[in-house]
Amino acid sequence: MTNHVLITGGAGFIGSHVADELLRQGVRVRALDSLVPQVHGPDRRRPAYLDPEVELIVGDVRDRDAVKSALRGVDAVVHFASAVGVGQSMYKIAEYTSINNLGTAVLLEELAAKPVSRLLVASSMSVYGEGLYRAASGAVVPGASRPLEQLKRGDWEVRSEAGEALVPIPTPESKPPSLESVYALSKYDQERLCLMIGRAYQIPTVALRFFNVYGRRQALSNPYTGVLAIFAARLLNDRPPVIFEDGLQRRDLVSVTDVARACVRALGADAAVGQVLNIGSGRSYTVREVAERVRDVMGKSGIEPEIVGKARLGDVRHCFADIGAAQQKIGYAPRVSLEEGLRDLADWLEGQVAKDAVAQARAELESRGLTV
Ligand code: UD1
């Protein structure tokens, strides 16, 4: 068992929940976090939600000295410090590559010099690109994608060469990666680097591929955050959620509480070492359904979501998790239903203020030709 854990990105959304879960188990927690303004606001203050027991070192994961002092005395590391916007990564290429890839490299050089007994790295469902599909013949199709020409026609479903719409099925870890964004590439790089250096230096390492995580503390004013937080920010400002494509794309929404529990289990389970594990809910929902459910739980039933009929380049149509491996290796079983999770989110949203910068973010993508 670990006694003292460093969480890079520990002041963020998922990191702070993992910190809470570890503190509950009597583990000491230190966070290294640069408090980026896009997430934490221009004043870059310690977030009020961060438990006072968490020792916060404000610093960048690319800064070797900051990493060195953050590693002092810890016996496990949870590496979450990353830039996370899929769309934004397609134009801030240098920044995403620097924070995500170089940041991981610096951390690993320091860990190679001073190994810990467990390293956990956050990877993403984005590494799959499209999820797994099945054709009418029953054949499984692992390498599906949508040609640009097809998206320009407003034809959103993933099709076989013969033009038949394929049926999405749960995606297991064995599906080969298909890296469709700078962000996805950097997440794949992070997981491979950690597992490779972990093996070489006997640092027991596990990579978790998170699906669409939602819950309290999501960065509501960050227009590049996940879909649920963006919808909530729009609704808080009495504006309609903006839905890309036709809203029938499917995602696996998983509560941050379940994700935090999975992380703590992965830190303790020997069977997890050297593994890559999906962490999702194992269920899928259409984006349109998500928009309507968030709206309803926030008591804004008068607001109709706006369906724009355009796609963001790099977005996948459907992807949801096969969580069998996580069940088997770490005894992971999601407990929070979407209904309960959304109710809890709505409780938290009361009293939150969100700056709605969605129009600006959309304009950024459009001006760069990143929507079709
Ligand atoms: C998201 C996260 C990524 C994480 C991954 C794990 C972000 C920006 N992306 O990627 O960091 O690793 O989950 O699964 O946090 N959509 C709308 N309207 C909006 C925003 C999005 O319709 O205002 C649609 C998108 O077109 C897409 C779906 O919602 O079809 C999900 O989008 P998004 O939340 O950005 O997530 P992912 O690309 O799934």
Side-chain angles (χ1 to χ4, degrees):
M1 188 53 201
T2 47
N3 298 309
H4 195 179
V5 176
L6 167 68
I7 308 177
T8 71
F13 165 46
I14 306 178
S16 68
H17 283 277
V18 173
D20 289 350
E21 191 65 25
L22 287 168
L23 291 172
R24 264 196 288 279
Q25 309 220 352
V27 177
R28 279 177 69 192
V29 180
R30 179 181 293 146
L32 172 67
D33 200 301
S34 62
L35 300 179
V36 291
Q38 187 168 307
V39 174
H40 295 277
D43 303 336
R44 302 176 64 197
R45 274 197 299 260
R46 179 185 173 113
Y49 59 66
L50 192 64
D51 192 295
E53 292 286 308
V54 175
E55 179 197 354
L56 174 63
I57 298 183
V58 180
D60 195 300
V61 73
R62 291 164 293 179
D63 174 349
R64 192 173 295 277
D65 291 333
V67 171
K68 262 198 180 88
S69 45
L71 282 174
R72 221 159 274 150
V74 304
D75 48 25
V77 173
V78 173
H79 180 36
F80 282 180
S82 281
V84 298
V86 179
Q88 194 179 34
S89 77
M90 296 300 282
Y91 60 95
K92 294 204 164 179
I93 305 167
E95 191 177 316
Y96 271 68
T97 303
S98 175
I99 297 172
N100 295 2
N101 305 49
L102 180 62
T104 304
V106 170
L107 173 68
L108 288 172
E109 282 190 4
E110 292 309 310
L111 283 173
K114 213 167 144 267
V116 287
S117 61
R118 188 60 60 102
L119 170 64
L120 188 157
V121 59
S123 182
S124 163
M125 140 275 206
S126 307
V127 303
Y128 294 121
E130 283 295 341
L132 206 58
Y133 287 83
R134 180 170 285 139
S137 65
V140 170
V141 185
S145 69
R146 301 178 292 178
L148 191 59
E149 284 312 311
Q150 180 191 328
L151 294 178
K152 283 189 180 152
R153 290 196 303 272
D155 178 7
W156 311 120
E157 286 304 336
V158 175
R159 299 188 179 279
S160 68
E161 274 174 24
E164 121 200 59
L166 300 172
V167 177
I169 56 177
T171 301
E173 294 80 354
S174 56
K175 185 202 171 265
S178 171
L179 306 164
E180 314 257 357
S181 65
V182 174
Y183 170 75
L185 177 64
S186 74
K187 277 286 150 187
Y188 193 59
D189 189 79
Q190 288 189 332
E191 80 174 47
R192 292 297 110 187
L193 271 175
C194 288
L195 289 164
M196 177 196 301
I197 299 302
R199 239 186 336 266
Y201 291 89
Q202 284 96 52
I203 304 165
T205 300
V206 48
L208 299 182
R209 289 181 179 161
F210 296 150
F211 281 63
N212 294 66
V213 188
Y214 72 93
R216 290 171 180 256
R217 308 176 186 167
Q218 275 192 281
L220 294 175
S221 301
N222 176 2
Y224 302 98
T225 186
V227 63
L228 217 141
I230 294 178
F231 287 173
R234 293 280 293 176
L235 289 159
L236 274 177
N237 289 288
D238 291 318
R239 299 207 181 107
V242 173
I243 297 183
F244 296 113
E245 306 181 19
D246 56 0
L248 298 182
Q249 60 272 46
R250 293 190 161 268
R251 287 295 187 278
D252 180 327
L253 289 158
V254 57
S255 156
V256 70
T257 320
D258 281 329
V259 171
R261 276 195 287 259
C263 292
V264 174
R265 278 177 172 271
L267 281 173
D270 288 339
V273 172
Q275 302 288 323
V276 176
L277 301 173
N278 283 343
I279 302 296
S281 68
R283 308 185 56 134
S284 76
Y285 304 89
T286 68
V287 166
R288 197 189 286 192
E289 180 184 358
V290 170
E292 288 165 358
R293 288 176 79 154
V294 185
R295 172 197 68 188
D296 293 346
V297 81
M298 289 174 71
K300 307 258 180 181
S301 6
I303 302 181
E304 268 313 304
E306 178 195 339
I307 297 180
V308 292
K310 282 189 168 192
R312 287 192 310 197
L313 284 188
D315 263 351
V316 301
R317 180 66 174 169
H318 305 296
C319 192
F320 45 94
D322 179 331
I323 53 174
Q327 264 158 358
Q328 198 203 340
K329 301 283 182 196
I330 62 172
Y332 167 68
R335 291 193 209 150
V336 184
S337 67
L338 184 62
E339 199 184 349
E340 269 174 277
L342 287 183
R343 228 180 299 122
D344 184 61
L345 183 77
D347 283 349
W348 172 74
L349 285 169
E350 271 183 43
Q352 298 292 318
V353 181
K355 187 172 150 259
D356 169 23
V358 163
Q360 182 203 330
R362 205 165 128 194
E364 293 246 31
L365 291 182
E366 267 170 23
S367 71
R368 292 176 168 85
L370 293 173
T371 53
V372 280

